[in-house]
Amino acid sequence: MSWFIEYYDDSALMIKVKETLFESKGIQHIQIFETAGFGKMLVLDGKIQLTERDESFYHEMLVHVPLFMVDEPKKILVIGGGDGGTVREVLKHNPDEVVMVEIDDTVINACRKYIGIDGGALEDERVTVLIEDGMEYVENCKERFDVVIVDGTDPNPVSESLVKEDFFNNCKRISNIFATQAQSPFIQKEYFIEIYKSIKKAFENYRIYINFVPTYPLGLWSYMIASKNEIEPDYDKIKQRWLERKISTKHYNPDLHVASFALPEWLKKEVKGD
């Protein structure tokens, strides 16, 4: 047994590791561990991306919040998400087409072999997987999507373009609704504010929502949803769609959907002037 430690500022998270299943250094430093209490765990450049035990907390809120705010989400674009969890959740809405753009095919191959949380989603005939840079894809894209979802890593040389205003402007051009993970507003304030300010410049309408993911930095995680149209969670509509689509989840439900938009006072102050 050994310990994996993820450091952030003056704190850290320790998880007991039973075995290293995979490690590769290329575009990113990829590690996959078998842990003692959280199942298999994916780490990119020293940052935990998922554990089997709580990945649903993250993927379900990233996907179902924007998709349940659409009458019929038929065409979805996912930027990043090489582990397959986001596409898995998108397919529960029975779309006609899903495009996933991932820059690092080693992540896809390693996750399918050693973790498998996609449950075969990446092999679904409705899914097209493209190995290319997400920023370049949206710059050159001539199609439109009902929803665009960004499932990216912490901002680093590989993913930093995905938190810039130009990227969000291009996503606005090709989508009706846009959603992205937005880091921890508590322990990663600089990352969160950078994403928030860029989205604020690109979109007329935007909202922050939050959720608890135990193995992410100190547990609190944020997301942002944006659109040309007003964004106002309607509980009755969301509940009706939830019942009609008969989607099975481990974490998400309509009550949590609406509650996630209620922000604590300290976070409201962080974005005061919005």
Side-chain angles (χ1 to χ4, degrees), residues 206-226:
Y206 45 89
R207 293 285 297 274
I208 301 162
Y209 63 102
I210 57 177
N211 185 45
F212 180 66
V213 185
T215 55
Y216 282 4
L218 300 187
L220 179 66
W221 206 244
S222 71
Y223 313 78
M224 295 188 197
I225 185 169

Side-chain angles (χ1 to χ4, degrees), residues 2 7 14-15 19 22 33 38 52 65 71 75 78 94 99 111 125 147 157 187 190 195 219 221 230 232 257:
S2 61
Y7 297 92
M14 296 176 63
I15 293 183
E19 181 184 3
F22 177 84
F33 301 104
F38 290 87
E52 288 182 299
V65 170
D71 284 329
K75 189 172 182 179
V78 176
N94 195 30
V99 177
C111 287
E125 62 182 7
V147 181
I187 200 68
E190 294 79 8
I195 296 169
W221 206 244
E230 289 291 333
E232 191 59 47
H257 181 136

Side-chain angles (χ1 to χ4, degrees), residues 20-69:
T20 299
L21 302 176
F22 177 84
E23 185 164 10
S24 172
K25 291 185 178 180
I27 296 176
Q28 301 170 101
H29 183 194
I30 306 167
Q31 297 168 291
I32 297 177
F33 301 104
E34 181 69 55
T35 72
F38 290 87
K40 296 180 179 67
M41 177 172 72
L42 171 66
V43 176
L44 297 181
D45 294 329
K47 306 295 183 182
I48 296 171
Q49 304 301 301
L50 69 87
T51 73
E52 288 182 299
R53 186 172 178 182
D54 68 353
E55 57 86 10
S56 60
F57 292 34
Y58 167 74
H59 287 119
E60 290 179 6
M61 292 300 287
L62 177 65
V63 171
H64 298 309
V65 170
L67 264 64
F68 273 120
M69 294 175 80

Side-chain angles (χ1 to χ4, degrees), residues 48-145:
I48 296 171
Q49 304 301 301
L50 69 87
T51 73
E52 288 182 299
R53 186 172 178 182
D54 68 353
E55 57 86 10
S56 60
F57 292 34
Y58 167 74
H59 287 119
E60 290 179 6
M61 292 300 287
L62 177 65
V63 171
H64 298 309
V65 170
L67 264 64
F68 273 120
M69 294 175 80
V70 177
D71 284 329
E72 295 185 343
K74 293 300 183 183
K75 189 172 182 179
I76 315 299
L77 172 64
V78 176
I79 304 292
D83 55 70
T86 295
V87 172
R88 177 198 70 207
E89 295 303 313
V90 167
L91 289 178
K92 292 179 180 180
H93 292 259
N94 195 30
D96 294 333
E97 181 182 359
V98 182
V99 177
M100 186 182 90
V101 180
E102 166 63 54
I103 196 170
D104 193 347
D105 61 346
T106 305
V107 173
I108 297 174
N109 296 332
C111 287
R112 290 175 71 180
K113 182 175 180 179
Y114 295 100
I115 305 180
I117 65 163
D118 70 295
L122 298 184
E123 298 174 357
D124 191 285
E125 62 182 7
R126 295 167 291 176
V127 176
T128 300
V129 177
L130 303 175
I131 308 302
E132 57 182 281
D133 181 85
M135 178 64 179
E136 293 180 4
Y137 178 85
V138 298
E139 276 184 343
N140 299 317
C141 185
K142 306 300 181 186
E143 304 176 65
R144 283 195 61 82
F145 296 87

